Amino acid sequence: MKGPSVLPVGFQNFVMTDQVVAVVSSDSAPMRRLVQSLRNSERLVDATQGRRTRCLVFMSSGHIVLSALSQEALLRRLSDSAEKLEEMDRVGGDGE
């Protein structure tokens, strides 16, 4: 039985991969303004552990997760986990 797949967004924080809508760089002014406007909101989840925010992960629930990892690193982790799941499906194992 397969469990839900998760994406590590850094510092032992995870999000559900089936809930991820977009992974966006935080370098642009509109993204920085969005983060500032949501700072005191319940929709913003800060997973940076005090580090510089490098990307934003938009979730289907309307939440935005701040990550200290670059979007390239997150997408690489996402594709690596997808490849592992495909391999487990081919082998017929459950990863244990």
Side-chain angles (χ1 to χ4, degrees):
M1 180 168 120
K2 258 191 283 190
S5 54
V6 294
L7 172 65
V9 292
F11 306 105
Q12 300 298 313
N13 297 298
F14 303 88
V15 297
M16 304 297 291
T17 56
D18 58 347
Q19 299 293 316
V20 174
V21 174
V23 179
V24 180
S25 173
S26 66
D27 292 339
S28 69
M31 291 299 112
R32 283 182 279 186
R33 282 194 300 267
L34 176 65
V35 169
Q36 285 305 317
S37 69
L38 294 175
R39 225 6 122 177
N40 294 324
S41 165
E42 292 181 5
R43 291 183 19 207
L44 189 68
V45 179
D46 189 348
T48 63
Q49 300 289 325
R51 311 275 194 316
R52 177 179 171 264
T53 299
R54 299 195 60 201
C55 78
L56 289 77
V57 181
F58 289 83
M59 308 299 290
S60 62
S61 64
H63 289 82
I64 298 173
V65 179
L66 305 180
S67 175
L69 301 175
S70 69
Q71 72 235 36
E72 292 87 4
L74 286 179
L75 293 177
R76 192 169 37 251
R77 289 179 177 199
L78 186 60
S79 66
D80 287 348
S81 67
E83 288 172 6
K84 287 179 185 175
L85 285 174
E86 287 175 10
E87 183 178 329
M88 285 190 324
D89 283 346
R90 278 195 308 269
V91 175
D94 61 0
E96 294 181 9

